[in-house]
Amino acid sequence: MLTLTFLGTGAAVPTIDRNVSGLALQREGETILFDCGEGTQRQMMRYGVAFSFIEIFFTHYHADHILGVTGLLRTMGLQDRTAPVTLYGPRGAQRVLNTAISLGIERNKFPVEIVELRPGDRLAREDYDIVVFETEHRADTIGYALVEHTRLGRFHPERARELGIAEGPLWGRLHKGETIVLEDGRSIAPADLVGDPRPGRTVVYSGDTRPCLPLIEAARGADLLVHEATFGSEELERARETGHSTAAEAARVALDAGVRRLVLTHISPRYTRDAPELLAEARAVFPETIIARDGLIVDVPFPD
Ligand SMILES: [Zn+2]
Ligand SMILES: [Zn+2]
């Protein structure tokens, strides 16, 4: 499973309908947070995101994306956590995040590691990578793509039985791409009973940004793009001045990148809860669009 839970979907300030930025990604029992605005820990409780995670990825250090980390780490300390937590962010990570986690007089009871990332960095995990790309927001900002590795092709057990290969370790070896020799001397190649490798899933998070080429490239063919849409087209000039995107611009990025689905977030408090005008504007360009609200859960299935 690969699931996103939108913890906060508003821009700049919390409102009754929307908290400030926070996004939880859950995959195979692992939870990763992207951004951690004020009040994120309470949103996690509300929407059932466990505190057992070990990593937070920050897109930048505007207050609406970071102020929640202080309280969240304190609460984890009160829960007698001992496992380390790693905080990632663009240039300035040591200075800003160290300040944020040192506020107050309590000491962190568990190790916190701070890692500064640059566009182009690729963090390799067992079966996925986190790819860091440059964004454009009048500050040091980055976006993130979670890119799953290619999966093994589908194994066809009925074909194996037809070939007289008994279920057991040989199946595993064939599935992983090994050619085997049976006791009767026959040589069996994986292609005889394993399909082509299947692509993994890609999820991309823009953070705050103007539409930009590195983001389009990172999102090329992605299964899901989470893009900020702070404004509607009537505020295009303001979007340009403040380094944000309009809903139509975000939809254009989704179209150009050829993604499957688009979720808009970071909605300005000037719009109503459902922001129908932003939705209409975006869908005119890219129909597979929804607008996030706090608590929204989006599953990202395998394409096949
Ligand atoms: Zn913001
Ligand atoms: Zn910002």
Side-chain angles (χ1 to χ4, degrees), residues 165-183:
I165 311 165
E167 186 169 353
L170 289 181
W171 285 25
R173 286 168 57 193
L174 279 161
H175 197 190
K176 287 188 185 120
E178 220 180 294
T179 296
I180 58 160
V181 179
L182 299 178
E183 275 175 15

Side-chain angles (χ1 to χ4, degrees), residues 60 62 65 137 208 244:
H60 65 302
H62 279 150
H65 294 252
H137 180 55
D208 291 5
H244 287 293

Side-chain angles (χ1 to χ4, degrees), residues 207-274:
D208 291 5
T209 186
R210 291 286 303 143
C212 61
L213 197 57
L215 169 50
I216 294 170
E217 259 146 32
R220 190 84 63 202
D223 296 271
L224 186 74
L225 169 61
V226 178
H227 199 294
E228 76 123 288
T230 308
F231 298 113
S233 293
E234 82 288 356
E235 293 285 359
L236 176 59
E237 215 30 62
R238 190 160 152 72
R240 286 202 182 111
E241 279 163 21
T242 54
H244 287 293
S245 302
T246 67
E249 286 178 322
R252 184 77 217 181
V253 169
L255 186 70
D256 289 349
V259 306
R260 259 172 225 282
R261 284 190 295 161
L262 170 66
V263 182
L264 301 178
T265 188
H266 201 270
I267 311 296
S268 163
R270 74 184 57 202
Y271 302 102
T272 57
R273 204 189 80 126
D274 297 326

Side-chain angles (χ1 to χ4, degrees), residues 127-191:
D127 51 7
Y128 66 88
D129 291 350
I130 303 255
V131 178
V132 183
F133 57 88
E134 189 180 355
T135 54
E136 213 179 291
H137 180 55
R138 324 188 95 209
D140 284 308
T141 58
I142 50 181
Y144 297 101
L146 184 144
V147 182
E148 288 183 336
H149 298 168
T150 302
R151 295 171 296 147
L152 297 175
R154 211 179 287 284
F155 186 83
H156 297 288
E158 68 295 345
R159 184 82 187 109
R161 289 195 192 95
E162 277 166 31
L163 291 165
I165 311 165
E167 186 169 353
L170 289 181
W171 285 25
R173 286 168 57 193
L174 279 161
H175 197 190
K176 287 188 185 120
E178 220 180 294
T179 296
I180 58 160
V181 179
L182 299 178
E183 275 175 15
D184 60 15
R186 277 183 300 148
S187 167
I188 308 287

Side-chain angles (χ1 to χ4, degrees), residues 29 32 55 64 79 101 113 157 161 168 189 195 199 249 255 269 293 298:
I32 299 171
E55 299 179 303
D64 60 320
Q79 293 171 342
I101 66 172
E113 196 191 354
R161 289 195 192 95
E249 286 178 322
L255 186 70
R293 52 174 170 71
V298 177

